[in-house]
């Protein structure tokens, strides 16, 4: 309940633009490791394995540490929450052309192609919340989308029913106001 309330407050704050980004040098390696460590107990309880693969020389990025940390956390959390017992969440970080990517792939049930467009919409959920048996308000991916866009980045979503889903954040190394390319 606390996390749900925090998500609602964070979402409202982002939408109303009450707080400017606090840009600093951020190590994605550290943020991913922190999220994996924090979520490891949940993964173990649900019998899901988390694997994090980082390329060598992954640069620090200019970003709001707290917000990027929240985005990474939400993607890994969702990968665990919507997975199957014995499943896998794979986190891969890479860089090139002035950008970094963080891809979170899971072996969950997947998402119908016609529903992918609704995933970044606040309060959108794929199933009836009274019958689906999974907590949340449908704000996690909306928060991730806003955070990534605030950093001049892009969030891509791919899924195949019965196979799983991949959510990829692509962010400029130099941050939203730097000389890095933005889309």
């Amino acid at each position: 309940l606390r996390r749900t309330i925090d998500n609602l407050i964070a979402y409202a704050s982002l939408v109303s633009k009450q707080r400017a980004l606090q840009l600093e040098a951020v190590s994605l390696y550290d943020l991913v490791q922190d999220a994996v460590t924090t979520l490891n107990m949940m993964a173990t309880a649900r019998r899901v394995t988390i694997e994090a693969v980082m390329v060598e020389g992954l640069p620090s990025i200019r970003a709001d540490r707290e917000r990027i940390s929240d985005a990474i956390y939400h993607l890994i959390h969702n990968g665990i929450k919507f997975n199957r017992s014995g499943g896998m969440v794979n986190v891969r970080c890479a860089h090139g052309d002035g950008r970094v990517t963080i891809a979170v792939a899971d072996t969950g049930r997947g998402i119908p192609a016609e529903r992918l467009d609704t995933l970044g919409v606040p309060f959108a959920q794929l199933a009836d919340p009274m019958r689906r048996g999974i907590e949340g308000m449908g704000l996690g991916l909306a928060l991730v989308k806003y955070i990534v866009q605030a950093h001049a980045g892009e969030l891509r979503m791919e899924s195949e029913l019965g196979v799983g889903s991949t959510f990829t954040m692509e962010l400029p190394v130099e941050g939203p106001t730097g000389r890095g390319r933005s889309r």
Side-chain angles (χ1 to χ4, degrees):
L1 183 58
R2 172 102 171 121
R3 175 145 307 268
T4 300
I5 292 168
D6 288 346
N7 286 344
L8 188 56
I9 292 168
Y11 176 76
S13 175
L14 280 169
V15 170
S16 67
K17 310 254 190 263
Q18 290 179 357
R19 193 185 94 160
L21 295 176
Q22 304 298 310
L23 300 177
E24 60 182 294
V26 174
S27 165
L28 290 176
Y29 177 86
D30 291 345
L31 296 184
V32 168
Q33 292 303 321
D34 289 349
V36 168
T37 299
T38 301
L39 290 166
N40 198 37
M41 190 181 310
M42 176 188 180
T44 300
R46 293 180 184 231
R47 297 194 325 203
V48 173
T49 302
I50 306 173
E51 176 185 64
V53 178
M54 314 282 193
V55 297
E56 286 199 33
L58 188 65
S60 291
I61 64 169
R62 187 158 168 76
D64 186 306
R65 176 182 309 279
E66 182 181 341
R67 289 185 180 178
I68 292 297
S69 178
D70 284 347
I72 293 168
Y73 175 92
H74 280 293
L75 291 182
I76 297 171
H77 183 268
N78 280 355
I80 297 166
K81 182 166 71 170
F82 295 106
N83 217 317
R84 57 182 169 73
S85 179
M88 169 83 73
V89 173
N90 188 295
V91 184
R92 295 195 181 277
C93 297
H95 66 93
D97 198 23
R99 299 180 76 75
V100 294
T101 58
I102 303 114
V104 178
D106 66 59
T107 57
R109 61 183 167 254
I111 301 160
E114 66 274 7
R115 299 298 305 267
L116 281 173
D117 291 345
T118 66
L119 290 180
V121 176
F123 305 105
Q125 296 175 330
L126 293 179
D128 177 0
M130 300 306 274
R131 295 189 326 193
R132 68 191 176 112
I134 295 176
E135 70 281 353
M137 294 177 59
L139 287 177
L141 286 175
L143 277 170
V144 172
K145 183 177 176 181
Y146 273 106
I147 291 166
V148 170
Q149 289 175 343
H151 285 83
E154 179 182 358
L155 178 65
R156 292 188 304 275
M157 300 172 257
E158 301 169 21
S159 189
E160 185 176 341
L161 283 175
V163 176
S165 304
T166 302
F167 294 86
T168 304
M169 296 189 311
E170 186 175 294
L171 301 164
V173 171
E174 294 182 21
T177 59
R179 292 186 188 143
R181 218 182 51 189
S182 63
R183 292 182 183 181

